[in-house]
């Protein structure tokens, strides 16, 4: 119902940026990730410095399996807000899923600088190190995980030993 109302709103006012943003949120909530990304993309075209819309676009594109598009959106957020943990974390994960491991590592290292106590970022960076066959990096990520979240450390260990 919300999606249909918002679709009517953007049809009535095609330059109303916040209607596109809210449509993106509603579509995301409905699990319609590719459509959500399209709505967020339109919002970013109308307001090129709309950080929240770029974050939404990155997240929706990621969930839709559009990892290169997700990376571009997250990269734009890092330009708009160089202290956005969410942007660097999302960027690193998008690059990882796009098999761009050096870029993933660089973005995730920035995320670690911003939130060194976040276990999820250490998990992600550990996966990248494992993909690069960097045993020292894997060991450091595992040590950080053991300290921050022992259950997640166990999950990480099980994920990389396969």
């Amino acid at each position: 119902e919300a999606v249909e109302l918002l679709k009517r709103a953007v049809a009535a006012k095609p330059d109303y940026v916040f209607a596109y943003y809210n449509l993106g949120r509603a579509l995301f909530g409905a699990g319609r990730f590719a459509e959500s990304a399209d709505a967020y993309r339109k919002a970013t075209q109308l307001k090129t410095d709309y950080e929240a819309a770029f974050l939404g676009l990155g997240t929706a594109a990621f969930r839709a399996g559009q990892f290169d598009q997700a990376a571009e959106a997250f990269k734009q957020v890092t330009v708009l807000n160089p202290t956005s943990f969410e942007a660097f974390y999302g960027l690193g994960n998008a690059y990882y899923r796009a098999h761009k491991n050096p870029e993933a590592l660089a973005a995730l290292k920035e995320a670690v600088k911003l939130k060194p106590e976040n276990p999820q970022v250490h998990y992600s960076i550990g996966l990248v190190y494992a993909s690069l066959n960097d045993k020292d990096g894997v060991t450091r990520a595992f040590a950080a995980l053991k300290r921050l979240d022992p259950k997640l450390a166990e999950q990480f260990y099980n994920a990389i030993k396969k």
Side-chain angles (χ1 to χ4, degrees):
E1 184 179 319
V3 169
E4 293 311 313
L5 288 172
L6 288 162
K7 281 185 176 183
R8 283 195 295 246
V10 298
K13 275 188 99 174
D15 60 342
Y16 188 52
V17 65
F18 300 110
Y20 284 102
Y21 175 78
N22 287 321
L23 178 59
R25 289 181 57 170
L27 288 163
F28 189 92
R32 295 162 61 181
F33 304 120
E35 291 175 80
S36 173
D38 290 340
Y40 281 126
R41 188 174 297 104
K42 182 64 177 173
T44 64
Q45 291 166 350
L46 291 169
K47 186 171 172 19
T48 59
D49 63 347
Y50 196 176
E51 181 181 337
F54 278 108
L55 278 172
L57 171 55
T59 304
F62 186 93
R63 292 289 299 271
Q66 302 165 347
F67 304 118
D68 288 327
Q69 292 177 30
E72 286 304 314
F74 288 128
K75 191 185 311 179
Q76 184 60 33
V77 178
T78 68
V79 171
L80 295 170
N81 180 359
T83 62
S84 172
F85 168 81
E86 293 79 7
F88 282 107
Y89 180 68
L91 180 60
N93 283 305
Y95 278 143
Y96 173 71
R97 294 294 296 273
H99 308 289
K100 297 178 179 177
N101 290 324
E103 294 91 340
L105 188 58
L108 290 168
K109 283 182 176 181
E110 289 300 316
V112 167
K113 286 180 194 173
L114 294 166
K115 288 196 178 178
E117 300 302 311
N118 183 297
Q120 292 293 336
V121 72
H122 290 282
Y123 185 96
S124 293
I125 207 167
L127 293 178
V128 175
Y129 280 129
S131 293
L132 294 170
N133 294 314
D134 182 335
K135 289 182 173 73
D136 291 338
V138 169
T139 301
R140 287 191 306 275
F142 183 68
L145 279 170
K146 271 183 75 171
R147 179 177 55 81
L148 296 169
D149 187 335
K151 286 186 179 182
L152 192 58
E154 184 178 332
Q155 290 174 14
F156 173 73
Y157 177 79
N158 290 330
I160 65 165
K161 76 176 188 178
K162 293 178 181 176

